[in-house]
Amino acid sequence: MRRKIPTTAALVAFESAARHESFTKAADELSLTQSAICRQIAALEEFLGVELFRRSRRGVKLTEAGLNYSRRVAARLDAVERDTLAVMGQQGGGTLELAVVPTFATQWLLPRLKDFKRLHPEVTVNLTNRTRPFLFADTEFDAALYFGDGVWSGTVANFLMHENPVPVCSPELLGGRTELSAAEIAGLPLMQQTTRPYAWRQWFGSLGMSVAHDMGGTRYELFSMLAQAAMHGMGVALIPPMLIQQELADGRLIVPMQHAYLSENAYYLMIPERKVESVTLGAFRDWLVDEAAQYRAEAGLG
């Protein structure tokens, strides 16, 4: 049965015209004439039976239907482009599409990936930020680097490491001091990590303390944002040292109290059950699990 799909040329012309809200700019971008763009849009509107643009002497403007359709078309074209680039980039080797929590991937994984590339030069590893769980069936991801309890329906969890967060702040915030007590830390602005809302409560609790405002304060989604805010003197943050090694070495961040607690959750490599037999993914899993074990041993982590 023939699919009810417009031509690719019409969709590309529409996406460009919708993004610019200009047929002229779309024509320039696609190296076409303005009349060619007009014809493609008109043909698409006839195919759909829906008006996508309102025309006036001052130009064109998307209708509500046109705006909604343009968002969907743009997402589909982006996906087709990614798939095309992936195939073009394989060059006879395998490609792994990984969803990753951004700061851990940037600060811990990326510096080590060159070793995996040396061992498996035929494998391309692509990384895409995802901070929360998702349905693998709805994506093209082969696996995910995930922080949580390791429970994810339809997947196999491979433990990597726990977090051992410590309080960090800018040296300027302490006014020349280098150490603080837990009570003094409680008196400073406590900055929060959005996906770890109980972090300060757990940290103070591990010291037998109860702090009324331990869940208050500014919230940031990423550890990299927390680190930047802390370096600018906006408060104290709880961050695993492995994610801010350079900032600690440079003295841009200091640890005012050397006390960490073992987080209940951990970093895992989550692999869909249907992909556990993949040779390429298995090679990456074995390498990553070994790297994590070596790091835990060297850092004395649980």
Side-chain angles (χ1 to χ4, degrees):
M1 183 178 67
R2 185 177 180 182
R3 294 179 181 273
K4 194 76 171 176
I5 299 175
T7 67
T8 304
L11 293 176
V12 170
F14 169 64
E15 188 278 332
S16 180
R19 182 160 30 86
H20 295 294
E21 280 203 312
S22 168
F23 290 179
T24 301
K25 290 181 179 178
D28 290 341
E29 180 176 271
L30 300 176
S31 300
L32 297 172
T33 63
Q34 184 177 351
S35 61
I37 296 294
C38 292
R39 286 195 300 272
Q40 292 285 4
I41 301 300
L44 182 59
E45 289 178 321
E46 183 179 356
F47 180 87
L48 297 171
V50 173
E51 186 180 42
L52 300 172
F53 291 93
R54 292 191 181 91
R55 282 82 165 170
S56 70
R57 291 182 179 179
R58 288 184 289 183
V60 296
K61 190 170 183 62
L62 284 164
T63 63
E64 187 66 25
L67 178 60
N68 291 334
Y69 190 51
S70 69
R71 290 169 176 165
R72 293 185 173 92
V73 168
R76 302 305 192 278
L77 290 177
D78 286 346
V80 170
E81 183 178 38
R82 286 196 301 271
D83 292 343
T84 302
L85 291 173
V87 172
M88 293 171 65
Q90 285 182 9
Q91 298 178 348
T95 298
L96 293 179
E97 297 290 343
L98 298 183
V100 298
V101 282
T103 309
F104 180 76
T106 301
Q107 299 297 329
W108 189 88
L109 176 62
L110 277 175
R112 293 168 169 79
L113 265 182
K114 64 179 183 295
D115 293 326
F116 178 77
K117 190 65 177 177
R118 176 178 54 80
L119 295 170
H120 301 278
E122 76 286 356
V123 179
T124 299
V125 181
N126 297 326
L127 307 181
T128 302
N129 287 344
R130 284 294 181 95
T131 57
R132 300 182 187 278
F134 53 86
L135 294 176
F136 275 100
D138 295 340
T139 73
E140 296 299 320
F141 292 123
D142 297 300
L145 273 177
Y146 156 78
F147 181 81
D149 57 10
V151 177
W152 189 332
S153 179
T155 69
V156 175
N158 299 270
F159 173 76
L160 300 177
M161 66 189 72
H162 287 284
E163 286 182 337
N164 296 70
V166 294
V168 297
C169 63
S170 165
E172 286 73 23
L173 191 67
L174 303 190
R177 298 180 64 184
T178 58
E179 295 183 4
L180 295 178
S181 67
E184 289 172 319
I185 290 174
L188 295 173
L190 303 178
M191 298 189 296
Q192 309 287 343
Q193 216 273 8
T194 304
T195 59
R196 291 140 176 85
Y198 299 100
W200 277 113
R201 178 161 296 180
Q202 292 168 337
W203 188 81
F204 285 119
S206 68
L207 291 165
M209 295 176 60
S210 177
V211 175
H213 61 283
D214 56 12
M215 293 182 66
T218 308
R219 296 187 178 277
Y220 300 92
E221 185 174 10
L222 305 179
F223 277 123
S224 56
M225 296 177 179
L226 268 180
Q228 284 293 323
M231 284 188 288
H232 284 87
M234 297 173 65
V236 188
L238 274 176
I239 304 178
M242 65 181 172
L243 303 182
I244 49 171
Q245 291 180 342
Q246 193 59 54
E247 290 85 349
L248 292 171
D250 294 344
R252 289 176 289 165
L253 288 174
I254 61 173
V255 181
M257 182 176 179
Q258 292 288 347
H259 175 73
Y261 76 94
L262 183 65
S263 61
E264 296 177 355
N265 292 331
Y267 290 100
Y268 294 89
L269 177 68
M270 311 299 297
I271 300 178
E273 292 174 347
R274 60 188 170 84
K275 289 183 177 284
V276 292
E277 300 300 326
S278 166
V279 174
T280 301
L281 190 53
F284 180 78
R285 176 201 59 219
D286 294 345
W287 170 82
L288 185 61
V289 169
D290 286 346
E291 284 289 320
Q294 181 178 339
Y295 177 80
R296 293 198 310 270
E298 293 174 351
L301 296 178

